[in-house]
Amino acid sequence: MFKILVFLWMVYGLEGADVVLSCSLIEEGGGMGGMMGGAMFKRTASTLVFKDLVGNDDLSPELVTPYNPPETPNADDLIFELTLPSIQIPNADLLLHADCNEQEVVCEISHYVPRGAEVDSLPAHFIGSVQLEGGGISLTLVLQTLHNETTQSDTQPLMQSKLNLPLSQSGTLLTEVVFVVFSRVPSIVAPIGSDVLLDCGFRQKNSIPGQDVALEWRIQHRGNGRKILDIKARETETDVGQDLFVDREGTSAEADLLVRDGNASLTLRRLKVTDEGTYICTVGSGEFQTQQIVQLHITQPPHITLSEEKLVFQDSTPQKLSCHCHRYYPLDVQVEWFSQAPSEEEPVSLSKESSLSSHRQHSDGTYSLSSHLHLRPDKNPPGTVITCRVSHPALETLSDATLTVGKPDPNTVFWTVILMLAISVMFLYKAFSGAGAEN
């Protein structure tokens, strides 16, 4: 995906703040792409100007830098100016703080043809994708060109060289937002077994009462995709009618919220590992249809146990200690070993002396793994703390499992010696008895 650090100015005007984004106009390149050296798409630098995007109640004039159009309009400049949006853009104020928060904004614009329209018909339409990286708003905007401001009859407007569309007196292409599909939470992390709401909504200018609204949710994961919900809803005089298709149990969307509030969110109940993937929310109303993407990441923290509750060396024989990580997801897990003897101020890493089992996958899609370590009594005297430390994306902090090497019980040592002597005596007795019988 093409990423560009946002160049953002805030204009403190009478109505509100303007946001200026550095974008790319995406067009089909006509090349073969890839190894043939051609480009599948062409990118042309452009600018997207949101006029009076949000109110200025919380803005200080000292904190903003005015945006000024070029002093001399240039036919080669691509400046898309969105005048006073006629529909509300939710959470648009997040774009104001992107630069200060060192967040990147992905901004791309391309041609768009509404349903039933001709390719070169007027007014022209464009689709703009604006995504705030690192969390925040994601917008898919349908832009419609506007008539230029009144000019003298003998003055011909400047035509944009690439688009062949008339520019305003300040050299911008005047547009307005007529349709937008958005997500305020385009990426979400949820544990196995929980319920989750995938946020998606839309706004439309001049929607017609009783007009059908179509909503489709699809999931894509590891090259496979399927439709999990499809709604065609319409508002009648008494209620909201709908045609509904659901492919996953525990999946729902509200038809009345879709039609009346533009709420296209999807509820998934009792999440499983197989629910992880890229969800595509496609909304169609009237002549417009576009989509938004929501990423769902499934997690499950590992349950960590040691193979022994206590460790005591009775002799010089090394002992095996295992650290078990049970039923976690995703696969990324790291196990480290440390020891700290009573005489040591800092723990010593033992990870290089350990070994790992292979990952074991369970029927629910989770994984388990074990790490093994052989400990010697001469290097781990009584009082030594042995630590198994596990890191995993589902753990907010590192998780430790520890035990302390104990002292041998004197009675146990005594009886062990007695037992060894008894075994030796019996062995010698049998040996001499066998020799006497042969004689």
Side-chain angles (χ1 to χ4, degrees):
M1 177 181 292
F2 178 78
K3 296 184 180 180
I4 184 166
L5 183 64
V6 61
F7 295 93
L8 181 142
W9 298 266
M10 293 178 288
V11 181
Y12 191 81
L14 296 177
E15 300 296 334
D18 300 348
V19 175
V20 182
L21 302 179
S22 179
C23 301
S24 289
L25 177 68
I26 310 298
E27 300 175 285
E28 292 185 6
M32 296 299 293
M35 295 182 294
M36 299 300 294
M40 294 297 294
F41 298 97
K42 295 189 299 184
R43 295 181 181 273
T44 305
S46 61
T47 301
L48 184 62
V49 182
F50 289 88
K51 295 291 292 182
D52 299 320
L53 184 61
V54 295
N56 57 25
D57 294 341
D58 298 326
L59 299 177
S60 172
E62 292 80 11
L63 300 178
V64 297
T65 302
Y67 166 76
N68 296 312
E71 294 183 3
T72 303
N74 188 333
D76 294 330
D77 289 342
L78 273 171
I79 305 174
F80 293 83
E81 180 179 341
L82 279 65
T83 60
L84 291 172
S86 56
I87 58 177
Q88 180 185 10
I89 299 179
N91 289 28
D93 59 303
L94 295 177
L95 295 174
L96 290 173
H97 310 293
D99 198 30
C100 296
N101 296 334
E102 298 184 352
Q103 289 180 285
E104 292 183 349
V105 172
V106 180
C107 179
E108 297 179 340
I109 302 173
S110 58
H111 291 274
Y112 179 79
V113 180
R115 286 185 289 197
E118 299 293 332
V119 174
D120 297 325
S121 61
L122 294 176
H125 292 82
F126 298 87
I127 191 164
S129 173
V130 178
Q131 298 176 349
L132 186 61
E133 293 291 296
I137 190 69
S138 179
L139 305 169
T140 305
L141 310 157
V142 176
L143 313 179
Q144 179 175 290
T145 56
L146 295 172
H147 295 294
N148 291 318
E149 61 265 36
T150 305
T151 59
Q152 297 180 2
S153 59
D154 59 347
T155 302
Q156 292 296 324
L158 183 67
M159 303 296 288
Q160 210 288 324
S161 59
K162 177 179 285 291
L163 304 177
N164 195 32
L165 292 172
L167 300 176
S168 67
Q169 290 182 345
S170 59
T172 63
L173 183 65
L174 296 177
T175 66
E176 65 174 341
V177 179
V178 293
F179 192 74
V180 57
V181 177
F182 60 87
S183 177
R184 289 159 292 195
V185 189
S187 180
I188 189 169
V189 178
I192 293 174
S194 67
D195 299 341
V196 70
L197 180 71
L198 303 185
D199 183 74
C200 183
F202 80 99
R203 301 287 186 269
Q204 182 177 6
K205 178 188 176 183
N206 299 332
S207 59
I208 302 174
Q211 179 175 270
D212 283 5
V213 179
L215 170 64
E216 178 188 89
W217 277 93
R218 298 184 64 87
I219 179 175
Q220 297 281 347
H221 189 55
R222 296 179 180 175
N224 297 317
R226 74 180 194 279
K227 178 167 62 176
I228 61 173
L229 182 139
D230 190 295
I231 290 181
K232 290 182 177 60
R234 70 204 63 85
E235 186 172 12
T236 65
E237 295 181 356
T238 57
D239 59 2
V240 174
Q242 66 172 0
D243 299 323
L244 177 65
F245 166 82
V246 177
D247 184 54
R248 178 198 179 277
E249 184 179 356
T251 301
S252 63
E254 301 297 332
D256 55 340
L257 296 180
L258 174 67
V259 173
R260 294 168 180 167
D261 300 334
N263 187 341
S265 299
L266 181 74
T267 298
L268 299 174
R269 296 180 176 84
R270 299 178 297 279
L271 289 177
K272 302 177 182 178
V273 169
T274 53
D275 292 319
E276 182 176 71
T278 300
Y279 285 78
I280 304 171
C281 169
T282 303
V283 180
S285 178
E287 58 186 328
F288 303 116
Q289 175 178 297
T290 188
Q291 61 189 30
Q292 193 57 240
I293 292 176
V294 180
Q295 299 286 347
L296 175 59
H297 304 280
I298 302 296
T299 62
Q300 182 76 13
H303 176 62
I304 303 164
T305 60
L306 293 175
S307 58
E308 306 292 339
E309 294 184 359
K310 59 182 180 179
L311 181 63
V312 177
F313 294 101
Q314 303 296 345
D315 51 34
S316 60
T317 305
Q319 291 197 34
K320 179 181 177 181
L321 183 63
S322 299
C323 183
H324 303 298
C325 304
H326 303 278
R327 293 186 177 275
Y328 54 86
Y329 190 86
L331 192 62
D332 308 319
V333 67
Q334 184 176 356
V335 182
E336 298 177 284
W337 288 94
F338 298 92
S339 71
Q340 186 173 0
S343 60
E344 296 172 336
E345 296 183 357
E346 298 291 336
V348 177
S349 175
L350 302 178
S351 299
K352 292 183 179 180
E353 302 174 23
S354 65
S355 61
L356 285 174
S357 70
S358 59
H359 289 277
R360 302 179 296 278
Q361 187 171 20
H362 303 282
S363 58
D364 62 356
T366 60
Y367 299 92
S368 293
L369 172 142
S370 298
S371 178
H372 310 292
L373 184 67
H374 288 84
L375 299 170
R376 294 170 50 184
D378 56 332
K379 292 186 176 181
N380 299 277
T384 300
V385 177
I386 307 297
T387 301
C388 170
R389 178 164 297 166
V390 177
S391 61
H392 185 265
L395 294 171
E396 295 183 1
T397 59
L398 299 174
S399 182
D400 291 349
T402 63
L403 61 74
T404 302
V405 177
K407 294 182 179 180
D409 186 347
N411 293 326
T412 302
V413 174
F414 172 77
W415 288 110
T416 299
V417 173
I418 295 299
L419 179 61
M420 293 179 65
L421 289 175
I423 294 174
S424 298
V425 169
M426 292 181 62
F427 177 78
L428 292 174
Y429 174 78
K430 288 184 178 181
F432 282 115
S433 297
E438 291 180 359
N439 293 332

